């Protein structure tokens, strides 16, 4: 009975109207919530208005920048931090050379080896060390000079290897270079010796150029606006470097080239090039001519036209594009030289001459971890010489051509860092009658600022 009464009382309390005191509190709470809502809505409207104003201002500035004319870059002042602070770098290069045959007997059958095309001195050698100074001159020009110190004929020589200025921001893909520079023929020729994958130059570079072809002149290059790299260019020079060496009036050599390349996914890339060089030397000297009887050794002279055509192909691979850890590089080049003119020796010996020299090389270098690389290279040469007097071919050192010089090389490198390298290389050289086994131990270190090398 009592439980029924208690249940009736609870239901009555639950269904009874809310007391006036509680009703007043709820009304106050509703008013407070309405006030807060109105306040937040007002703030949101203000933020939206400020955002609209900011977007309008940003668009106005963008339109103004888009229509404003380009202003020239500021001229470097005399107090600029780079005015008296060019980038200076030095490459120190030394080697120990051991040959089975005597270095002075070295020859390339069918080729007249000139300049530095022979073997380095046996034993310890300075090799070729370089000092490079470079800097932006102002907003228009960049300048670079490289001095090279090397041993040649048991003497230490200092020469200006490169010294040129180059335009900056010329626009439309155009670049002009003027001064002394390596001619843009082939892939390897424009690279300094310390950037080569092997300690010595390919045989075809030795035979045609005496290692490398440089010129004093002007080079114009144009990078086409394509989705892949495509560059064309031309160069005119004084023609003083072999095989263009001789007397000239005005321009001594000229060259045209084209190269293109692209990526293959993220791991591979390639580059192909073609170039043609031409000179018309007067009295180009073949300095290693033969003597006649008791006469002193004298030089045969060539007059005529010389043309050289080059083809090159490069392929590079790195897993996931990480060239630092592991990579593979394959390089191949082929060159063909044609001489058309005459050879003379003294005042009474003269012969019409038609000569062809050709050859190439293939090399592959595999870096299997950041500190070790190994590589293989194969060189081959050929030649065909015809003259109305064969004796003059002997005077010019061109009496060979019956055999085809070839060489196989293997190397391994230890790279403690990006600034130092220790290399061991073995050559089996079959360039002339006696096969020659050659061993080269080499160190190369870089000091100071040093820019990235070309592809």
């Amino acid at each position: 009975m009592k439980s029924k009464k208690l249940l009736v009382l609870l239901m009555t309390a639950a269904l009874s109207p809310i007391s006036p005191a509680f009703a007043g509190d709820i009304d106050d709470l509703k008013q407070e919530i309405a006030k807060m809502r109105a306040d937040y809505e007002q703030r949101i409207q203000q933020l939206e208005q400020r955002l609209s104003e900011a977007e309008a201002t940003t668009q106005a500035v963008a339109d103004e920048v888009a229509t404003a004319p380009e202003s020239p870059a500021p001229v470097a002042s005399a107090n600029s931090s780079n005015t008296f602070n060019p980038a200076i770098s030095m490459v120190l290069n030394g080697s120990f050379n051991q040959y089975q045959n005597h270095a002075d007997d070295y020859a390339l059958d069918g080729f007249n080896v000139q300049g530095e095309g022979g073997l380095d001195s046996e034993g310890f050698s300075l090799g070729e060390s370089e000092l490079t100074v470079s800097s932006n001159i102002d907003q228009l020009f960049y300048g670079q000079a490289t001095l090279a110190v090397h041993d040649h004929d048991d003497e230490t020589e200092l020469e200006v290897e490169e010294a040129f200025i180059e335009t900056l921001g010329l626009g439309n893909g155009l670049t002009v270079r003027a001064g002394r520079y390596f001619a843009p023929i082939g892939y390897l020729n424009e690279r300094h010796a310390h950037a080569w994958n092997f300690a010595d130059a390919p045989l075809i570079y030795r035979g045609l150029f005496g290692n490398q072809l440089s010129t004093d002149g002007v080079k114009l290059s144009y990078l086409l606006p394509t989705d892949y790299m495509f560059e064309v260019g031309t160069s005119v020079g004084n023609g003083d470097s072999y095989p263009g060496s001789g007397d000239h009036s005005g321009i001594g050599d000229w060259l045209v080239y084209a190269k293109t390349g692209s990526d293959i996914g993220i791991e591979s890339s390639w580059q192909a090039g073609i170039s043609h060089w031409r000179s018309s030397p007067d009295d180009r000297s073949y300095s290693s001519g033969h003597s006649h009887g008791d006469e002193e050794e004298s030089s045969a002279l060539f007059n005529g036209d010389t043309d050289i055509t080059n083809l090159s192909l490069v392929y590079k691979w790195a897993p996931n594009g990480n060239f630092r850890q592991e990579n593979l590089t394959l390089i191949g080049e082929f060159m063909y030289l044609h001489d058309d003119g005459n050879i003379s020796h003294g005042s009474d010996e003269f012969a019409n001459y038609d000569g062809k020299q050709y050859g190439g090389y293939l090399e592959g270098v595999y870096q299997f971890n950041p500190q070790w690389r190994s590589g293989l290279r194969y060189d081959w040469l050929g030649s065909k010489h015809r003259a109305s007097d064969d004796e003059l071919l002997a005077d010019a050192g061109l009496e060979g051509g019956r055999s085809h010089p070839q060489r196989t090389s293997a190397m391994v490198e230890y790279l403690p860092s990006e600034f130092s390298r220790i290399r061991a290389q073995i050559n089996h050289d079959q360039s002339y009658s006696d096969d020659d086994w050659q061993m080269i131990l080499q160190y190369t270190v870089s000091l100071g600022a040093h820019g990235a090398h070309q592809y």
Side-chain angles (χ1 to χ4, degrees):
M1 190 66 180
K2 289 182 179 180
S3 60
K4 291 182 178 180
K5 290 182 178 180
L6 180 60
L7 180 59
V8 172
L9 290 173
L10 290 174
M11 293 178 63
T12 303
L15 296 173
S16 62
I18 299 175
S19 65
F22 286 109
D25 292 339
I26 291 176
D27 292 338
D28 293 340
L29 182 60
K30 289 181 178 181
Q31 293 177 4
E32 187 68 26
I33 292 174
K35 182 179 180 182
M36 292 173 62
R37 178 182 298 171
D39 186 40
Y40 280 125
E41 290 178 352
Q42 183 180 4
R43 292 185 181 183
I44 290 173
Q45 291 177 357
Q46 292 176 351
L47 288 174
E48 290 178 346
Q49 183 178 359
R50 292 172 61 184
L51 180 60
S52 299
E53 292 175 353
E55 289 177 346
T57 302
T58 302
Q59 184 61 41
V61 172
D63 293 342
E64 183 177 352
V65 171
T67 56
E70 294 184 3
S71 59
V75 179
S77 66
N79 295 325
S80 171
S81 59
N82 288 329
T83 302
F84 301 104
N85 186 29
I88 300 176
S89 66
M90 176 173 285
V91 175
L92 302 180
N93 186 9
S95 63
F96 176 81
N97 310 301
Q98 186 69 42
Y99 312 123
Q100 183 178 6
N101 300 333
H102 198 284
D104 292 340
D105 296 332
Y106 184 78
L108 292 175
D109 189 65
F111 289 74
N112 186 287
V113 179
Q114 297 286 318
E116 302 168 13
L119 298 179
D120 289 339
S121 301
E122 197 162 13
F124 292 100
S125 172
L126 178 63
E128 181 174 284
S129 297
E130 300 175 351
L131 175 65
T132 299
V133 180
S134 62
S135 178
N136 288 350
I137 300 168
D138 50 30
Q139 79 277 17
L140 297 178
F141 297 105
Y142 164 85
Q144 177 179 311
T146 300
L147 303 179
V149 181
H150 60 92
D151 287 338
H152 181 60
D153 292 338
D154 297 324
E155 295 183 358
T156 301
E157 298 181 351
L158 173 66
E159 66 178 3
V160 179
E161 194 167 74
E162 287 189 302
F164 61 83
I165 61 172
E166 190 172 79
T167 58
L168 296 172
L170 197 59
N172 299 317
L174 291 172
T175 302
V176 178
R177 175 180 293 187
R180 176 172 297 177
Y181 50 88
F182 290 125
I185 182 171
Y187 176 77
L188 195 66
N189 192 69
E190 290 189 276
R191 285 150 183 79
H192 291 262
H194 69 267
W196 295 349
N197 290 323
F198 290 81
D200 45 14
L203 294 182
I204 189 65
Y205 277 84
R206 281 183 171 179
L208 297 188
F209 307 136
N211 274 4
Q212 281 183 281
L213 176 64
S214 64
T215 189
D216 294 358
V218 177
K219 169 189 169 185
L220 172 66
S221 61
Y222 174 53
L223 188 63
L224 277 69
T226 59
D227 293 336
Y228 50 91
M229 191 280 292
F230 199 116
E231 180 181 323
V232 295
T234 184
S235 171
V236 292
N238 59 5
D240 279 350
S241 295
Y242 187 88
S245 53
D247 297 327
H248 301 278
S249 57
I251 296 174
D253 63 53
W254 60 265
L255 178 148
V256 291
Y257 73 92
K259 57 184 178 181
T260 183
S262 184
D263 294 330
I264 307 174
I266 64 171
E267 295 188 339
S268 303
S269 60
W270 62 274
Q271 178 178 294
I274 182 171
S275 52
H276 184 81
W277 178 92
R278 182 179 176 88
S279 179
S280 299
D282 295 328
D283 293 339
R284 183 178 73 202
S285 173
Y286 294 106
S287 60
S288 59
H290 298 170
S291 60
H292 294 271
D294 296 331
E295 297 178 8
E296 293 184 1
E297 181 178 309
S298 58
S299 298
L301 303 176
F302 171 78
N303 290 270
D305 297 325
T306 299
D307 292 88
I308 300 176
T309 300
N310 171 277
L311 299 174
S312 65
L313 180 63
V314 183
Y315 171 80
K316 295 185 178 184
W317 169 85
N320 299 316
N322 186 357
F323 215 81
R324 178 74 178 88
Q325 295 295 322
E326 182 183 4
N327 63 78
L328 172 69
T329 300
L330 302 176
I331 303 172
E333 287 195 71
F334 176 80
M335 291 194 192
Y336 181 88
L337 176 146
H338 182 209
D339 278 332
D340 184 17
N342 61 78
I343 296 177
S344 61
H345 187 246
S347 58
D348 56 349
E349 294 182 276
F350 179 90
N352 294 321
Y353 170 65
D354 181 87
K356 299 176 178 64
Q357 297 171 318
Y358 50 88
Y361 71 94
L362 293 171
E363 68 178 46
V365 178
Y366 176 53
Q367 179 173 311
F368 45 90
N369 69 44
Q371 293 186 311
W372 288 95
R373 296 201 317 162
S374 61
L376 296 173
R377 179 183 63 185
Y378 176 70
D379 306 76
W380 75 97
L381 299 177
S383 60
K384 185 176 182 180
H385 305 282
R386 285 190 278 188
S388 56
D389 184 350
D390 289 341
E391 186 177 345
L392 283 176
L393 291 180
D395 293 335
L398 300 173
E399 71 275 25
R402 291 175 293 276
S403 63
H404 296 282
Q406 56 184 320
R407 179 182 63 179
T408 305
S409 306
M411 73 85 180
V412 61
E413 292 178 347
Y414 172 58
L415 309 167
S417 71
E418 60 181 308
F419 305 106
S420 60
R421 177 183 65 213
I422 300 173
R423 173 188 286 154
Q425 180 175 321
I426 297 291
N427 297 334
H428 182 209
D429 198 332
Q430 299 170 285
S431 296
Y432 54 110
S433 57
D434 297 326
D435 290 5
D436 192 13
W437 285 94
Q438 305 161 355
M439 181 187 70
I440 304 172
L441 301 177
Q442 182 188 52
Y443 70 83
T444 303
V445 298
S446 177
L447 292 76
H450 198 80
H453 293 135
Q454 302 180 57
Y455 176 84

